[in-house]
Amino acid sequence: AHYVFAMQCNAAPFDNNDLRLALKHAIDRQELVDKILGGYGSLGNDIPVNGAYPLFSDDIEQRMYDPEKAAFHYKKSGHSGPILLRTSDVAFPGAVDAATLFQQSAAKAGIQIEVKREPGDGYWAEVWNKQPFSASYWVGRPTQDQQYSTAYLSSADWNETRFHREDFDKLVIAARAELDEAKRKAMYRDMAMMVRDEGGAIIPVFNDWVDAVSDKVQGFQPHPAGELMSGMAMVACWLTE
Protein backbone atom coordinates (compact mmCIF):
# COMPACT_ATOMS: atom_id res chain seq x y z
CA ALA A 1 0.00 0.00 0.00
CA HIS A 2 1.13 3.57 -0.51
CA TYR A 3 0.46 7.05 0.83
CA VAL A 4 -0.27 9.92 -1.54
CA PHE A 5 -0.39 13.70 -1.59
CA ALA A 6 -2.59 14.15 -4.66
CA MET A 7 -2.39 17.29 -6.82
CA GLN A 8 -5.11 17.79 -9.44
CA CYS A 9 -3.31 18.48 -12.72
CA ASN A 10 -6.18 20.57 -14.11
CA ALA A 11 -6.44 22.95 -11.14
CA ALA A 12 -4.21 25.97 -10.52
CA PRO A 13 -1.47 26.11 -9.42
CA PHE A 14 -1.00 22.37 -10.00
CA ASP A 15 -1.66 22.70 -13.74
CA ASN A 16 2.02 23.72 -13.98
CA ASN A 17 4.34 20.69 -14.11
CA ASP A 18 7.27 22.68 -12.71
CA LEU A 19 5.25 23.33 -9.59
CA ARG A 20 4.38 19.66 -9.35
CA LEU A 21 8.04 18.72 -9.73
CA ALA A 22 9.01 21.29 -7.12
CA LEU A 23 6.73 19.69 -4.58
CA LYS A 24 7.91 16.18 -5.50
CA HIS A 25 11.51 17.21 -4.79
CA ALA A 26 10.50 19.10 -1.64
CA ILE A 27 9.34 16.10 0.41
CA ASP A 28 11.79 14.18 2.58
CA ARG A 29 10.78 10.60 1.85
CA GLN A 30 13.26 8.96 4.21
CA GLU A 31 12.04 11.13 7.07
CA LEU A 32 8.50 9.87 6.48
CA VAL A 33 9.66 6.24 6.44
CA ASP A 34 11.51 6.81 9.71
CA LYS A 35 9.01 8.99 11.58
CA ILE A 36 5.60 8.10 10.15
CA LEU A 37 6.14 4.41 9.42
CA GLY A 38 8.61 3.78 12.23
CA GLY A 39 10.95 2.24 9.69
CA TYR A 40 8.35 -0.30 8.51
CA GLY A 41 8.21 0.78 4.89
CA SER A 42 10.16 1.80 1.82
CA LEU A 43 10.71 4.90 -0.28
CA GLY A 44 8.09 5.80 -2.86
CA ASN A 45 9.09 7.18 -6.24
CA ASP A 46 5.86 8.95 -7.31
CA ILE A 47 4.82 5.71 -9.02
CA PRO A 48 1.81 3.74 -7.69
CA VAL A 49 3.57 0.37 -8.07
CA ASN A 50 6.87 -1.04 -6.83
CA GLY A 51 8.96 -4.19 -6.88
CA ALA A 52 6.11 -6.26 -5.44
CA TYR A 53 4.47 -6.18 -8.90
CA PRO A 54 5.51 -8.48 -11.76
CA LEU A 55 7.02 -6.68 -14.75
CA PHE A 56 8.09 -3.72 -12.61
CA SER A 57 11.24 -1.98 -13.86
CA ASP A 58 13.67 -1.50 -11.00
CA ASP A 59 16.08 0.67 -13.01
CA ILE A 60 14.13 3.91 -12.53
CA GLU A 61 16.15 6.45 -10.55
CA GLN A 62 14.88 6.96 -7.03
CA ARG A 63 13.68 10.52 -6.45
CA MET A 64 15.09 11.93 -3.23
CA TYR A 65 14.66 15.07 -1.16
CA ASP A 66 16.46 17.84 -3.01
CA PRO A 67 15.69 21.40 -1.80
CA GLU A 68 17.84 22.92 -4.57
CA LYS A 69 15.96 21.13 -7.35
CA ALA A 70 12.69 21.98 -5.62
CA ALA A 71 13.64 25.66 -5.48
CA PHE A 72 14.72 25.57 -9.15
CA HIS A 73 11.40 24.17 -10.38
CA TYR A 74 9.43 26.39 -8.00
CA LYS A 75 11.10 29.51 -9.39
CA LYS A 76 10.57 28.25 -12.94
CA SER A 77 6.86 27.72 -12.23
CA GLY A 78 6.39 31.42 -11.47
CA HIS A 79 4.17 30.65 -8.49
CA SER A 80 4.34 32.56 -5.23
CA GLY A 81 2.36 32.44 -2.04
CA PRO A 82 1.08 29.59 0.15
CA ILE A 83 -0.06 26.25 -1.26
CA LEU A 84 -3.01 24.70 0.57
CA LEU A 85 -2.70 21.01 1.48
CA ARG A 86 -5.72 19.34 3.05
CA THR A 87 -5.17 16.36 5.30
CA SER A 88 -7.01 14.37 7.96
CA ASP A 89 -6.47 11.67 10.54
CA VAL A 90 -8.44 9.28 8.31
CA ALA A 91 -6.43 9.92 5.12
CA PHE A 92 -3.75 7.44 6.26
CA PRO A 93 -2.12 6.63 9.61
CA GLY A 94 -0.04 9.66 10.54
CA ALA A 95 -1.34 11.83 7.69
CA VAL A 96 -1.50 15.01 9.76
CA ASP A 97 2.05 14.60 11.04
CA ALA A 98 3.23 13.67 7.54
CA ALA A 99 1.74 16.86 6.14
CA THR A 100 3.51 18.87 8.84
CA LEU A 101 6.84 17.22 8.01
CA PHE A 102 6.21 17.96 4.32
CA GLN A 103 5.52 21.58 5.23
CA GLN A 104 8.84 21.79 7.09
CA SER A 105 10.94 20.15 4.37
CA ALA A 106 9.32 22.31 1.65
CA ALA A 107 10.03 25.46 3.66
CA LYS A 108 13.76 24.75 3.30
CA ALA A 109 13.25 25.07 -0.46
CA GLY A 110 11.39 28.36 -0.08
CA ILE A 111 7.97 26.75 -0.65
CA GLN A 112 5.18 27.69 1.74
CA ILE A 113 2.67 24.91 2.36
CA GLU A 114 -0.42 25.71 4.40
CA VAL A 115 -1.70 22.56 6.12
CA LYS A 116 -5.44 22.36 6.79
CA ARG A 117 -6.60 19.54 9.04
CA GLU A 118 -10.02 18.41 7.85
CA PRO A 119 -12.45 16.43 10.03
CA GLY A 120 -12.54 12.71 9.42
CA ASP A 121 -16.29 12.71 8.99
CA GLY A 122 -16.98 13.34 5.32
CA TYR A 123 -13.32 13.49 4.28
CA TRP A 124 -13.64 10.82 1.60
CA ALA A 125 -16.86 12.34 0.26
CA GLU A 126 -16.12 16.07 0.45
CA VAL A 127 -12.33 16.52 0.32
CA TRP A 128 -10.63 13.57 -1.37
CA ASN A 129 -11.06 13.51 -5.15
CA LYS A 130 -12.67 16.95 -4.97
CA GLN A 131 -10.14 19.41 -3.53
CA PRO A 132 -7.01 20.32 -5.57
CA PHE A 133 -4.40 19.07 -3.07
CA SER A 134 -5.16 16.44 -0.46
CA ALA A 135 -3.77 13.38 1.31
CA SER A 136 -4.94 9.89 0.38
CA TYR A 137 -4.10 6.24 0.71
CA TRP A 138 -4.15 3.31 -1.71
CA VAL A 139 -4.09 -0.39 -0.97
CA GLY A 140 -2.21 -2.34 -3.62
CA ARG A 141 -4.02 -4.05 -6.48
CA PRO A 142 -3.22 -7.52 -7.86
CA THR A 143 -1.77 -6.17 -11.13
CA GLN A 144 -0.16 -3.02 -12.49
CA ASP A 145 -3.00 -2.73 -14.99
CA GLN A 146 -5.59 -2.58 -12.23
CA GLN A 147 -3.61 0.02 -10.28
CA TYR A 148 -3.23 2.31 -13.31
CA SER A 149 -6.76 1.67 -14.61
CA THR A 150 -8.36 2.47 -11.27
CA ALA A 151 -6.61 5.78 -10.61
CA TYR A 152 -4.87 7.09 -13.73
CA LEU A 153 -6.99 6.37 -16.80
CA SER A 154 -8.76 9.53 -17.99
CA SER A 155 -12.11 7.76 -17.61
CA ALA A 156 -11.48 6.48 -14.07
CA ASP A 157 -13.91 7.73 -11.41
CA TRP A 158 -11.09 7.67 -8.85
CA ASN A 159 -8.59 9.61 -10.95
CA GLU A 160 -7.72 11.76 -7.93
CA THR A 161 -4.92 13.64 -9.71
CA ARG A 162 -6.99 14.42 -12.84
CA PHE A 163 -4.21 12.83 -14.88
CA HIS A 164 -5.72 12.97 -18.37
CA ARG A 165 -3.31 11.78 -21.06
CA GLU A 166 -4.52 10.21 -24.31
CA ASP A 167 -1.15 8.58 -24.98
CA PHE A 168 -1.13 7.09 -21.48
CA ASP A 169 -4.68 5.76 -21.90
CA LYS A 170 -3.73 4.06 -25.18
CA LEU A 171 -0.68 2.51 -23.55
CA VAL A 172 -2.71 1.04 -20.69
CA ILE A 173 -5.18 -0.56 -23.10
CA ALA A 174 -2.44 -1.85 -25.41
CA ALA A 175 -0.46 -3.41 -22.54
CA ARG A 176 -3.44 -5.58 -21.59
CA ALA A 177 -3.22 -7.39 -24.93
CA GLU A 178 0.57 -7.55 -25.32
CA LEU A 179 1.78 -11.14 -25.08
CA ASP A 180 5.51 -10.42 -25.40
CA GLU A 181 6.62 -10.08 -21.78
CA ALA A 182 9.63 -7.87 -22.56
CA LYS A 183 7.52 -5.49 -24.63
CA ARG A 184 4.84 -5.40 -21.96
CA LYS A 185 7.40 -4.64 -19.26
CA ALA A 186 8.73 -1.76 -21.38
CA MET A 187 5.19 -0.42 -21.78
CA TYR A 188 4.66 -0.45 -18.00
CA ARG A 189 7.98 1.35 -17.59
CA ASP A 190 6.80 4.06 -20.00
CA MET A 191 3.56 4.41 -17.98
CA ALA A 192 5.55 4.69 -14.76
CA MET A 193 7.76 7.45 -16.16
CA MET A 194 4.74 9.45 -17.41
CA VAL A 195 3.11 9.33 -13.98
CA ARG A 196 6.38 9.94 -12.11
CA ASP A 197 7.57 12.91 -14.15
CA GLU A 198 4.35 14.52 -15.37
CA GLY A 199 1.58 13.30 -13.06
CA GLY A 200 0.09 14.83 -9.95
CA ALA A 201 0.76 12.05 -7.43
CA ILE A 202 3.39 12.60 -4.77
CA ILE A 203 3.96 9.06 -3.49
CA PRO A 204 6.62 9.33 -0.78
CA VAL A 205 6.35 5.91 0.89
CA PHE A 206 5.05 2.36 0.69
CA ASN A 207 4.07 0.95 4.06
CA ASP A 208 4.82 -2.59 5.22
CA TRP A 209 2.11 -4.83 6.60
CA VAL A 210 2.94 -5.75 10.18
CA ASP A 211 1.36 -8.91 11.65
CA ALA A 212 1.87 -10.47 15.07
CA VAL A 213 1.34 -14.22 15.12
CA SER A 214 1.24 -16.54 18.12
CA ASP A 215 3.38 -19.68 18.00
CA LYS A 216 0.11 -21.57 18.45
CA VAL A 217 -1.05 -20.44 15.01
CA GLN A 218 -0.19 -22.72 12.08
CA GLY A 219 -0.46 -22.09 8.33
CA PHE A 220 0.25 -18.37 8.44
CA GLN A 221 2.04 -16.98 5.37
CA PRO A 222 2.58 -13.20 4.97
CA HIS A 223 0.82 -11.76 1.93
CA PRO A 224 2.01 -8.62 0.09
CA ALA A 225 -1.56 -7.40 -0.55
CA GLY A 226 -2.57 -6.80 3.06
CA GLU A 227 -2.55 -7.73 6.70
CA LEU A 228 -3.74 -11.12 7.99
CA MET A 229 -2.80 -12.83 4.72
CA SER A 230 -4.82 -10.24 2.82
CA GLY A 231 -7.83 -11.12 4.97
CA MET A 232 -7.58 -14.86 4.43
CA ALA A 233 -5.93 -15.85 7.74
CA MET A 234 -9.23 -16.81 9.37
CA VAL A 235 -9.88 -19.52 6.77
CA ALA A 236 -6.28 -20.56 6.06
CA CYS A 237 -4.88 -20.89 9.61
CA TRP A 238 -5.49 -23.22 12.49
CA LEU A 239 -4.56 -23.48 16.17
CA THR A 240 -2.39 -26.19 17.67
CA GLU A 241 -3.54 -27.99 20.77
Side-chain angles (χ1 to χ4, degrees):
H2 57 275
Y3 299 168
V4 185
F5 292 112
M7 305 173 283
Q8 293 185 353
C9 297
N10 62 354
F14 310 105
D15 53 353
N16 183 306
N17 194 44
D18 275 299
L19 181 69
R20 299 197 296 269
L21 285 170
L23 289 168
K24 290 174 182 179
H25 286 294
I27 190 165
D28 191 333
R29 299 158 196 268
Q30 188 62 54
E31 184 177 41
L32 266 60
V33 169
D34 295 340
K35 295 182 179 179
I36 301 301
L37 298 180
Y40 291 102
S42 57
L43 299 179
N45 203 18
D46 304 327
I47 302 168
V49 294
N50 62 6
Y53 289 80
L55 305 183
F56 177 76
S57 297
D58 58 5
D59 63 335
I60 300 173
E61 181 182 359
Q62 173 64 53
R63 180 168 285 148
M64 299 297 290
Y65 177 46
D66 192 330
E68 290 186 3
K69 277 188 179 179
F72 168 80
H73 285 290
Y74 185 65
K75 183 178 180 180
K76 192 175 176 184
S77 76
H79 180 77
S80 62
I83 297 169
L84 179 61
L85 169 59
R86 299 173 191 269
T87 187
S88 173
D89 292 318
V90 302
F92 56 78
V96 175
D97 289 337
T100 302
L101 291 174
F102 188 9
Q103 180 186 52
Q104 293 170 359
S105 63
K108 295 175 183 177
I111 303 171
Q112 183 184 355
I113 294 178
E114 178 185 343
V115 175
K116 183 175 182 182
R117 183 175 186 172
E118 299 279 5
D121 185 28
Y123 182 80
W124 296 111
E126 303 301 329
V127 179
W128 173 75
N129 208 20
K130 285 194 163 85
Q131 296 295 336
F133 194 21
S134 64
S136 77
Y137 169 78
W138 285 85
V139 174
R141 264 54 179 180
T143 65
Q144 291 196 56
D145 172 74
Q146 191 176 0
Q147 190 72 64
Y148 286 122
S149 297
T150 303
Y152 295 90
L153 273 180
S154 297
S155 58
D157 291 337
W158 291 351
N159 189 334
E160 61 183 353
T161 58
R162 303 298 188 268
F163 184 68
H164 298 156
R165 285 275 300 266
E166 185 177 353
D167 54 350
F168 178 87
D169 295 346
K170 289 179 178 178
L171 201 53
V172 171
I173 303 303
R176 295 174 184 171
E178 179 54 63
L179 299 180
D180 185 305
E181 188 170 288
K183 289 182 180 178
R184 196 172 184 217
K185 183 175 181 177
M187 295 165 84
Y188 281 124
R189 189 186 192 283
D190 289 344
M191 288 182 224
M193 294 304 293
M194 288 182 191
V195 171
R196 176 184 182 270
D197 294 339
E198 300 175 59
I202 302 170
I203 302 174
V205 297
F206 281 79
N207 67 291
D208 291 341
W209 300 111
V210 180
D211 289 305
V213 184
S214 167
D215 55 10
K216 296 180 180 180
V217 175
Q218 300 296 307
F220 186 89
Q221 294 290 334
H223 196 289
E227 66 273 326
L228 294 175
M229 296 176 61
S230 191
M232 294 300 293
M234 296 302 103
V235 296
C237 298
W238 64 94
L239 293 175
T240 58
E241 291 292 336

